[in-house]
């Protein structure tokens, strides 16, 4: 897999470049992984509802063709776009999502942070009150997000069995814009970054580790 470090790039042109890459690729095209940050932007997935945009203010809103609802991208957030041929690698979308989440969990674990999955809510969550702990939080019939905050979001597109869009990991960013939306369509869902959890780092420092774990997880 070819890894491209794009730096800080606008969301719109990057989205169009991913789509063009996917439309032009052939069965022999190498897979790629794009790593970047974006200037402040809210993006709406195909299922995105305007009601989840509470107060976007001066931050632009872009309609995307990924799955999911609304999310925020901004400086200090590491974004990873795997452009891979699922058929060639031999697994389907559900397993692809599982592997993306596994790469994030392993990346967090390298910093001593315990990441968690929430059934039916793609992405990775942490317990800010005890980010190193493993104790279960929500019991039966309780709020599945009780005590949790979202540290990584997923939103993917698959066209002709090839993927684009991907995931975002909050590293050291201004979290205030998340308060202007219902993140991923969940009212009141908290968000957090590695900095808030006590990890002093920068996206370009986290990028090689995440790229390594993604490459390992996404093998055929």
């Amino acid at each position: 897999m070819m890894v491209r470090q794009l730096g800080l790039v606008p969301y719109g042109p990057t989205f169009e470049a991913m789509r063009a890459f996917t439309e032009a690729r052939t069965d022999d095209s190498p897979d790629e992984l794009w790593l970047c940050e974006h200037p402040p932007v809210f993006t709406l997935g195909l299922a995105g509802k305007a009601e989840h945009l509470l107060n976007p203010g001066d931050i632009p809103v872009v309609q995307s063709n990924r799955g999911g609802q609304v999310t925020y991208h901004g400086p200090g957030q590491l974004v990873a776009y795997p452009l891979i041929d699922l058929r060639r690698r031999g697994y389907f979308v559900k397993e692809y999502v599982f592997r993306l989440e596994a790469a994030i969990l392993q990346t967090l674990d390298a910093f001593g942070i315990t990441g968690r999955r929430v059934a039916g809510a793609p992405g990775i969550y942490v317990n800010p009150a005890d980010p190193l702990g493993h104790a279960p939080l929500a019991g039966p019939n309780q709020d599945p997000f009780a005590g949790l905050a979202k540290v990584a979001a997923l939103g993917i597109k698959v066209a002709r069995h090839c993927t684009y869009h991907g995931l975002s990991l909050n590293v050291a960013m201004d979290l205030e814009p998340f308060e202007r939306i219902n993140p991923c369509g969940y009212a009141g869902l908290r968000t957090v970054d590695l900095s808030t959890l006590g990890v002093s780092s920068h996206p370009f420092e986290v990028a090689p580790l995440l790229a390594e774990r993604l490459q390992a997880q996404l093998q055929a």
Side-chain angles (χ1 to χ4, degrees), residues 128 131 170-173 175 190-200:
N170 303 336
V171 179
M173 61 187 302
L175 296 171
R190 299 167 61 196
T191 56
V192 71
D193 61 5
L194 294 184
S195 177
T196 304
L197 299 173
V199 176
S200 179

Side-chain angles (χ1 to χ4, degrees), residues 124-212:
I124 297 298
Y125 306 79
V126 296
N127 175 9
D130 184 17
L132 310 184
H134 297 270
L137 295 177
N141 303 319
Q142 292 183 3
D143 177 3
F145 300 114
L148 295 178
K150 195 165 194 173
V151 70
L154 269 65
I156 66 170
K157 173 71 174 179
V158 180
R160 296 183 300 113
H161 56 79
C162 293
T163 70
Y164 59 109
H165 296 292
L167 63 92
S168 58
L169 175 61
N170 303 336
V171 179
M173 61 187 302
D174 179 7
L175 296 171
E176 184 276 332
F178 285 107
E179 299 177 8
R180 308 187 196 184
I181 60 174
N182 291 329
C184 303
Y186 296 104
L189 177 62
R190 299 167 61 196
T191 56
V192 71
D193 61 5
L194 294 184
S195 177
T196 304
L197 299 173
V199 176
S200 179
S201 192
H202 187 278
F204 72 77
E205 296 172 312
V206 180
L209 176 58
L210 178 61
E212 176 188 9

Side-chain angles (χ1 to χ4, degrees), residues 7-201:
L8 181 65
V9 290
Y11 178 82
T14 308
F15 166 30
E16 292 302 331
M18 284 190 290
R19 178 157 55 185
F21 174 91
T22 303
E23 291 176 350
R25 66 181 299 168
T26 68
D27 290 344
D28 298 322
S29 299
D31 292 336
E32 297 193 5
L33 173 62
W34 297 0
L35 300 167
C36 64
E37 297 176 70
H38 292 307
V41 63
F42 293 116
T43 70
L44 282 170
L46 290 173
K49 298 179 179 178
E51 65 200 59
H52 295 306
L53 275 167
L54 306 179
N55 180 29
D58 58 352
I59 297 177
V61 179
V62 176
Q63 179 66 55
S64 173
N65 68 347
R66 62 166 174 79
Q69 289 280 343
V70 61
T71 194
Y72 168 72
H73 297 304
Q77 180 190 69
L78 175 60
V79 183
Y81 295 130
L83 309 173
I84 69 171
D85 185 333
L86 291 178
R87 185 169 62 185
R88 190 166 62 201
R89 290 184 178 245
Y91 45 82
F92 296 100
V93 174
K94 186 175 181 179
E95 182 175 352
Y96 173 62
V97 170
F98 185 88
R99 290 177 182 229
L100 291 181
E101 291 179 336
I104 301 168
L105 290 170
Q106 291 173 345
T107 301
L108 294 176
D109 185 65
F111 294 101
I113 303 297
T114 302
R116 302 164 186 258
R117 289 183 170 99
V118 172
I124 297 298
Y125 306 79
V126 296
N127 175 9
D130 184 17
L132 310 184
H134 297 270
L137 295 177
N141 303 319
Q142 292 183 3
D143 177 3
F145 300 114
L148 295 178
K150 195 165 194 173
V151 70
L154 269 65
I156 66 170
K157 173 71 174 179
V158 180
R160 296 183 300 113
H161 56 79
C162 293
T163 70
Y164 59 109
H165 296 292
L167 63 92
S168 58
L169 175 61
N170 303 336
V171 179
M173 61 187 302
D174 179 7
L175 296 171
E176 184 276 332
F178 285 107
E179 299 177 8
R180 308 187 196 184
I181 60 174
N182 291 329
C184 303
Y186 296 104
L189 177 62
R190 299 167 61 196
T191 56
V192 71
D193 61 5
L194 294 184
S195 177
T196 304
L197 299 173
V199 176
S200 179
S201 192

